[in-house]
Amino acid sequence: MVVVHARFALKSDAHAAFARLRDPMVAATRAEDGCTSYRVYVGTEDRDEVVFVEEWTSRTALERHFATPHFLAFVAAMGALAARPPEVRIYDVTGVEVK
């Protein structure tokens, strides 16, 4: 399993534009082979902070996602909405304990 945390800082006037981009991106990504979970969270202390939390069956599935038209268009559009470059962390998970 691969887990991704992608943290964005939106420009304060970019929330409406981000919402228009987010929903189609989420729907298209959730339909991809290998995507087991794809969620977007807005910060409670800082409304300009947005975090994507993703779970993928493999690194190969994630790499396919990075090459999709919807991902590439989203990344290009986010350049105008982000206050700074995103912080993206990719974790290779070797074990999961569910309680």
Side-chain angles (χ1 to χ4, degrees):
M1 175 194 297
V2 176
V3 175
V4 178
H5 289 174
R7 186 179 311 270
F8 292 87
L10 295 176
K11 294 177 182 174
S12 59
D13 62 348
H15 290 271
F18 172 73
R20 288 189 298 273
L21 287 174
R22 178 198 61 221
D23 294 344
M25 175 67 174
V26 169
T29 301
R30 286 180 177 167
E32 290 180 48
D33 285 337
C35 178
T36 58
S37 180
Y38 194 82
R39 307 231 184 251
V40 183
Y41 300 95
V42 177
T44 54
E45 290 91 24
D46 180 358
R47 235 179 71 69
D48 294 339
E49 180 182 66
V50 177
V51 179
F52 286 70
V53 178
E54 312 170 27
E55 295 178 3
W56 296 87
T57 56
S58 67
R59 183 64 185 237
T60 300
L62 177 61
E63 294 297 333
R64 279 194 312 262
H65 166 66
F66 288 156
T68 61
H70 58 270
F71 177 81
L72 295 171
F74 180 83
V75 169
M78 280 300 293
L81 305 180
R84 60 181 176 272
E87 176 187 306
V88 180
R89 294 181 180 182
I90 300 171
Y91 302 93
D92 290 312
V93 179
T94 58
V96 176
E97 181 178 335
V98 179
K99 292 186 177 195

